Amino acid sequence: MKHNRKHKVKHEKDSEAHRIFRESAGHASRGLPQTVNPDEETVPGILHPGSTGVIYCSDRAMANGFSYTSVHEWANLGQGAPEVGQIPDAPQKPQAIPMPIESLEYAPTTGVKALREAVAKLYNLTYRQGKVSQYTYENVCIVPGGRSGLSRVAAVIGDVYTSYQVPDYTAYDQVLGAFKRLVPVPTTLEEDDGYRFNLSQVRKDIRTQGLQVIMASNPRNPTGQVIRDQELNDLVALARDTTTTLILDEFYSWYIYPEKEEDFGKSISSAEFIDDVNSDPVVIVDGLTKNWRLPGWRICWVMGPRNLITALSQSGSFLDGGANHPLQLAAIPLLDPARVKLEKLSLQRHFKHKRDHVLARLKEMELEVKVPPRATFYIWLDLGGLPAPINNGLTFFEELLKEKTIVIPGIFFDINPAHRRNLFNSPCHHFVRLSFGPPLEDLDKGLDAIARVVKAARKEGGPQHFGHSYKKSIDSPTALHRFV
């Protein structure tokens, strides 16, 4: 089908969805002509850092009527969280939290010792059986969420060149922008290459650019790919041999979707390939948020050499003060290996079913997922084949808000700390991230909305109804519905 070319735009200034994004506090480009945003000028010396993708999208959804009291009227395929309710064959979720008197005190900034011991024991049993070097509680720091863990690590890194990939997790943009001693060095992962992490290129960059830190998610958010087996072994060996610090966000380490029955229940971690836990420069960030499906608990951990944990205790003392004490105690039995085995099996079967369901429905809409996810609970959807103007993530997102559905525009995964790029030039511009984390009925509600938008856009003359009439606030006039 031919697309109506008169609706094609090449610059963000010509797109209403992009102008709304730029007008939001902290999102102004620093390389394009500047405008004064009064929301950023109210307090002297304050510079808005810009919100992560999920926060911006939630704010825009609220401007269109979304609220957490009306959450069931909406399909949230944007939130980077798994469903938290009971799923088939999973252990029962805790219904009450004991709070002994001592838990009402502050916890140590490195975390409760018994929980640190439980984390070390689980990793040794899962990934390090038969290895001489074993994790102890001294290799574990408990933190109040993954972002806190990344921030603590970033706060103790010196003036270094830091490698990151595009696309990757949205919070890395804020981390690299806030901690000025980290000089970001980007590498673009290519769709035609399956978003493969190119070890040869990384090795060359270490040699020619003096990289000292590599930061990456694995399994990879948002593309759903995973570095594993020999490739992961080679990456750890590269860090060890070049004395380059490797920071791996492993929050999706259980979300692996095998084809063979005997492979269910297995997970991945760089911990399997570390030689010496106190000398290999590998930092692992993980926690209860995704694998245990407890995002509201904010109980996570950083693992690495002992001297790193000492430094993280110090940075935690001025960054966040430590994780919730009662919830740390409540987390200890959740790390029991027998319980963890059941959690992994139920999670992988349930989320594999949801992944296959969403991919099948997208195929029915003729929305091709060129690189299907092998891990995580995300689908990196290329909109390039749709008619303009909904062939870019921001406009597609705004149109779906009219249908009470939330997705995340791809530009939020273009880690671009200086915000200098014309958004239409971003390699992530024509993508959205769909989450199949929510329950199946919510997924179908959102997929129905996507089908309506796509069908209307493909009609002759349909594109003229898109790309405009977006609500800037809950008080602004409601746009006319396009499907009357």
Side-chain angles (χ1 to χ4, degrees):
M1 178 182 293
K2 289 185 178 180
H3 300 161
N4 192 334
R5 293 296 177 185
K6 74 177 183 178
H7 296 283
K8 185 175 182 180
V9 293
K10 295 183 178 181
H11 198 282
E12 56 190 67
K13 65 181 176 60
D14 301 317
S15 166
E16 184 175 325
H18 292 71
R19 291 196 301 270
I20 291 173
F21 170 77
R22 287 300 195 193
E23 290 167 3
S24 178
H27 291 152
S29 170
R30 297 169 203 165
L32 300 173
Q34 300 294 295
T35 58
V36 175
N37 183 343
D39 291 335
E40 298 187 57
E41 299 295 326
T42 55
V43 180
I46 297 299
L47 176 66
H48 282 66
S51 56
T52 61
V54 170
I55 300 302
Y56 174 81
C57 294
S58 296
D59 289 346
R60 290 293 303 132
M62 289 177 184
N64 283 265
F66 173 80
S67 72
Y68 288 98
T69 58
S70 66
V71 65
H72 297 297
E73 300 173 15
W74 284 67
N76 189 351
L77 311 189
Q79 184 74 44
E83 58 180 294
V84 298
Q86 204 62 33
I87 64 175
D89 302 320
Q92 287 291 319
K93 291 293 183 76
Q95 299 296 310
I97 303 299
M99 288 191 287
I101 290 296
E102 60 269 21
S103 75
L104 305 183
E105 299 281 357
Y106 288 123
T109 54
T110 45
V112 170
K113 182 181 177 183
L115 178 56
R116 297 165 68 192
E117 289 175 332
V119 172
K121 177 183 176 182
L122 181 62
Y123 274 75
N124 289 335
L125 181 66
T126 308
Y127 304 113
R128 302 195 60 75
Q129 290 194 54
K131 296 181 183 294
V132 174
S133 179
Q134 297 281 297
Y135 286 115
T136 73
Y137 77 94
E138 294 181 297
N139 299 107
V140 181
C141 182
I142 307 301
V143 294
R147 292 174 183 84
S148 174
L150 291 169
S151 296
R152 285 201 194 190
V153 173
V156 299
I157 295 175
D159 300 311
V160 296
Y161 287 108
T162 302
S163 172
Y164 67 93
Q165 298 79 48
V166 175
D168 212 328
Y169 176 43
T170 62
Y172 298 166
D173 186 13
Q174 278 72 25
V175 169
L176 291 170
F179 292 89
K180 306 299 184 184
R181 293 183 302 176
L182 305 181
V183 180
V185 179
T187 299
T188 300
L189 305 181
E190 301 294 343
E191 183 180 57
D192 292 342
D193 196 28
Y195 300 107
R196 186 175 63 88
F197 192 96
N198 191 324
L199 280 178
S200 297
Q201 182 63 48
V202 173
R203 185 177 289 106
K204 179 181 177 182
D205 290 344
I206 291 172
R207 186 180 68 252
T208 60
Q209 300 186 38
L211 295 180
Q212 291 181 272
V213 173
I214 300 169
M215 180 183 294
S217 61
N218 188 50
R220 309 205 33 89
N221 174 9
T223 60
Q225 304 310 299
V226 58
I227 308 166
R228 60 182 305 174
D229 304 326
Q230 187 59 47
E231 188 179 17
L232 183 53
N233 188 11
D234 292 344
L235 178 59
V236 172
L238 175 65
R240 180 171 53 244
D241 296 343
T242 61
T243 60
T244 302
T245 297
L246 176 63
I247 304 170
L248 287 178
D249 170 348
E250 296 188 348
F251 271 87
Y252 301 92
S253 57
W254 294 4
Y255 291 83
I256 308 294
Y257 306 118
E259 299 302 324
K260 298 179 181 178
E261 179 64 27
E262 61 266 26
D263 290 333
F264 278 95
K266 296 179 180 179
S267 54
I268 65 102
S269 175
S270 54
E272 180 179 356
F273 303 108
I274 290 170
D275 283 351
D276 188 321
V277 299
N278 286 312
S279 63
D280 284 11
V282 179
V283 182
I284 298 169
V285 189
D286 200 349
L288 301 186
T289 302
K290 304 298 193 298
N291 293 333
W292 280 260
R293 299 185 298 111
L294 293 169
W297 281 37
R298 312 306 293 158
I299 299 296
C300 299
W301 49 81
V302 180
M303 298 183 64
R306 279 193 304 261
N307 59 356
L308 169 72
I309 303 307
T310 303
L312 296 184
S313 177
Q314 295 172 346
S315 64
S317 68
F318 62 80
L319 281 174
D320 56 63
N324 181 292
H325 198 161
L327 287 173
Q328 288 190 64
L329 298 177
I332 295 169
L334 304 185
L335 273 68
D336 175 72
R339 182 188 175 101
V340 165
K341 183 178 180 180
L342 292 176
E343 292 272 22
K344 284 184 185 178
L345 284 168
S346 62
L347 180 147
Q348 290 177 354
R349 295 187 193 283
H350 184 65
F351 278 77
K352 185 175 190 286
H353 171 70
K354 291 199 295 181
R355 179 201 67 170
D356 294 345
H357 178 79
V358 174
L359 289 174
R361 288 214 53 191
L362 291 173
K363 186 175 182 180
E364 290 173 1
M365 300 178 213
E366 298 180 3
L367 291 174
E368 181 185 3
V369 180
K370 297 178 182 177
V371 187
R374 298 186 295 146
T376 74
F377 45 77
Y378 302 120
I379 292 171
W380 188 234
L381 181 62
D382 189 343
L383 306 173
L386 289 175
I390 68 163
N391 59 349
N392 72 78
L394 264 178
T395 304
F396 191 78
F397 158 74
E398 290 286 349
E399 295 298 336
L400 282 177
L401 291 182
K402 298 176 183 178
E403 301 301 313
K404 296 187 175 182
T405 294
I406 305 170
V407 297
I408 303 296
I411 54 130
F412 285 105
F413 303 92
D414 177 3
I415 303 173
N416 179 24
H419 304 285
R420 298 184 187 280
R421 213 191 310 267
N422 169 14
L423 297 175
F424 276 75
N425 294 334
S426 167
C428 304
H429 185 247
H430 294 293
F431 289 86
V432 289
R433 188 193 74 178
L434 305 183
S435 169
F436 54 93
L440 194 59
E441 57 268 28
D442 291 346
L443 297 178
D444 276 328
K445 191 187 305 180
L447 290 164
D448 290 344
I450 292 173
R452 291 194 297 270
V453 169
V454 169
K455 182 179 179 180
R458 285 173 173 161
K459 284 184 178 179
E460 186 66 32
Q464 67 183 342
H465 299 292
F466 295 90
H468 53 80
S469 304
Y470 301 136
K471 295 182 69 174
K472 290 190 177 183
S473 73
I474 192 63
D475 298 321
S476 62
T478 303
L480 290 175
H481 200 283
R482 72 176 77 83
F483 302 129
V484 294

